[in-house]
């Protein structure tokens, strides 16, 4: 390994250690910044880059920026497809975004690359439970749609029968209004919708499967969205959604994607970095920019930790009430209980020793570490207090002095 490669590796390791130390101190923003700095160094290997992207994804999960976490986890997987933690972190972020199919796929992929399958299996069970509930609740909609077709067919048969009677008996009484009501009664099909946000944009997803562009009429204005989805082979809308948005968006830059499982609309925020407290404006009117910014900056009520929002109109319709605070605590506990490795574990050990030490021990640790250029860490002040601590490099390495 050349001197230049050594310098690159040392610098990258320093930044990773700095990020890990910040993570241990719950300063996730500083951790993500350190990892980002490490990624900007040219000459790092693909495996190292994958490790750093995975670490930054974990920091984003702790900051509840799940979209960013998915993005980094995907980059990690592209750089090193065998990195199990990248699949784990992608799956966790997707689970929080209620993208259960994607989360399940990530956990299954990670399961084939890990030596510790227990945590993947636990998350897979969580995903399967959510998907089973979704499938169970989709049955009434299918049945209602089928029932409507049967009713419509029955109504047509009845109308035909009445028409034949009228031809045979022209003086008979007029057709009852009930027939007309039966023909015209249609309950629009309902799709659930959900949303999530990043600092730059809000993404709205309508969970309608197999919808083509020609079936949808989507209009995005500065503070509103209107979506109409037509039934197959019909000009009538079977689903409509009209929303007054929480804050303004850049309508001209909105993007629509028709995916196999949903219709996804990306709405760039007119005021980036303003946190939306909800998708829709309270009372039908959007907040003023200053009010929105103040709401974003204000601490949570009661002074406690802010709870992550679970943005889904579907949640309100669930038959089974879920204790999301309990689930959140379980998931965060699993993330926190993940064992630290390498430099992160060592840094935590040193910090714990320092935090619980007396004054002489702390002085010894500081003096030995500084004077030895980080190669010695002593806790015995009586031994090193009166002498200079010499640099003691690891076996097989030597000390070199560089002119400043």
């Amino acid at each position: 390994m050349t001197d230049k490669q050594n310098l690159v590796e040392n610098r990258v390791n320093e930044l990773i250690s700095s990020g890990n130390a910040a993570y241990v101190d719950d300063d996730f923003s500083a951790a993500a910044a350190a990892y980002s700095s490490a990624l900007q160094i040219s000459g790092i290997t693909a495996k190292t880059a994958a490790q750093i992207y995975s670490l930054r994804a974990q920091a984003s999960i702790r900051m509840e920026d799940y979209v960013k976490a998915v993005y980094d986890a995907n980059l990690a997987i592209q750089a090193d497809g065998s990195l199990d933690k990248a699949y784990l972190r992608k799956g966790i972020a997707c689970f929080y975004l209620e993208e259960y199919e994607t989360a399940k796929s990530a956990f299954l992929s990670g399961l084939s690359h890990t030596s510790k399958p227990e945590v993947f299996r636990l998350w897979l069970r969580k995903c399967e439970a959510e998907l089973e509930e979704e499938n169970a609740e989709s049955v009434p909609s299918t049945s209602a749609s089928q029932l409507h077709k049967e009713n419509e067919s029955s109504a047509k048969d009845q109308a035909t029968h009445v028409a034949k009677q009228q031809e045979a008996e022209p003086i008979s009484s007029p057709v009852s209004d009930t027939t007309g009501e039966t023909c015209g009664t249609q309950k629009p099909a309902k799709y659930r919708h959900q949303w999530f946000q990043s600092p730059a944009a809000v993404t709205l997803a309508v969970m309608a499967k197999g919808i083509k562009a020609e079936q949808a009429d989507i209009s995005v204005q500065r503070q509103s969205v209107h979506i109409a989805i037509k039934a197959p082979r019909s000009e009538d809308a079977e689903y409509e959604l009209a929303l007054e948005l929480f804050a303004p968006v850049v309508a001209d830059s909105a993007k629509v994607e028709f995916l196999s499982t949903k219709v996804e609309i990306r709405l760039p925020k007119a005021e980036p970095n303003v946190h939306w407290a909800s998708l829709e404006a309270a009372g039908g009117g959007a907040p003023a920019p200053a009010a929105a910014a103040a709401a974003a900056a204000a601490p949570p009520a009661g002074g406690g930790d802010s709870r992550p929002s679970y943005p889904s109109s579907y949640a309100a319709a669930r038959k089974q009430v879920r204790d999301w605070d309990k689930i959140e605590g379980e998931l965060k506990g699993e993330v926190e209980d993940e064992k630290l490795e390498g430099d992160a574990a060592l840094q935590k050990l040193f910090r714990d020793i320092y935090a619980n030490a007396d004054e002489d021990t702390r002085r010894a640790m500081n003096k030995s570490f500084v004077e030895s250029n980080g190669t010695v860490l002593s806790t015995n002040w009586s031994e090193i207090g009166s002498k200079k601590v010499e640099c003691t490099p690891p076996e097989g390495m030597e000390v070199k002095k560089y002119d400043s």
Side-chain angles (χ1 to χ4, degrees), residues 112-249:
S112 63
H113 295 288
T114 187
S115 59
K116 300 176 181 178
E118 294 80 10
V119 66
F120 286 91
R121 289 172 181 157
L122 174 63
W123 280 99
L124 279 170
R125 288 197 296 271
K126 293 177 185 292
C127 288
E128 287 164 359
E130 293 291 344
L131 290 169
E132 283 176 8
E133 186 170 336
E134 284 188 2
N135 292 335
E137 293 191 5
S138 68
V139 171
S141 297
T142 304
S143 300
S145 176
Q146 184 63 34
L147 179 62
H148 163 67
K149 289 181 180 178
E150 292 174 359
N151 287 343
E152 185 177 9
S153 176
S154 175
K156 286 181 179 178
D157 291 344
Q158 183 178 354
T160 301
H161 177 69
V162 171
K164 287 182 177 179
Q165 283 185 330
Q166 286 180 318
E167 289 177 4
E169 305 173 13
I171 306 177
S172 62
S173 60
V175 180
S176 170
D177 287 341
T178 305
T179 303
E181 291 175 359
T182 306
C183 290
T185 302
Q186 280 194 355
K187 291 186 178 181
K190 292 183 180 180
Y191 304 115
R192 69 183 179 92
H193 68 273
Q194 61 188 33
W195 70 284
F196 53 88
Q197 64 180 306
S198 66
V202 168
T203 299
L204 171 63
V206 177
M207 311 309 287
K209 295 182 179 180
I211 300 298
K212 306 297 183 184
E214 55 268 21
Q215 290 178 247
D217 181 13
I218 298 174
S219 172
V220 178
Q221 304 297 327
R222 179 172 170 78
Q223 289 190 243
S224 65
V225 174
H226 179 266
I227 303 168
I229 297 177
K230 299 174 184 176
R233 298 179 297 278
S234 172
E235 292 301 315
D236 297 329
E238 66 170 357
Y239 171 84
E240 286 193 62
L241 177 66
L243 300 173
E244 291 294 326
L245 299 175
F246 179 82
V249 298

Side-chain angles (χ1 to χ4, degrees), residues 2 58 280 300:
T2 65
Q58 178 64 23
E280 297 182 74

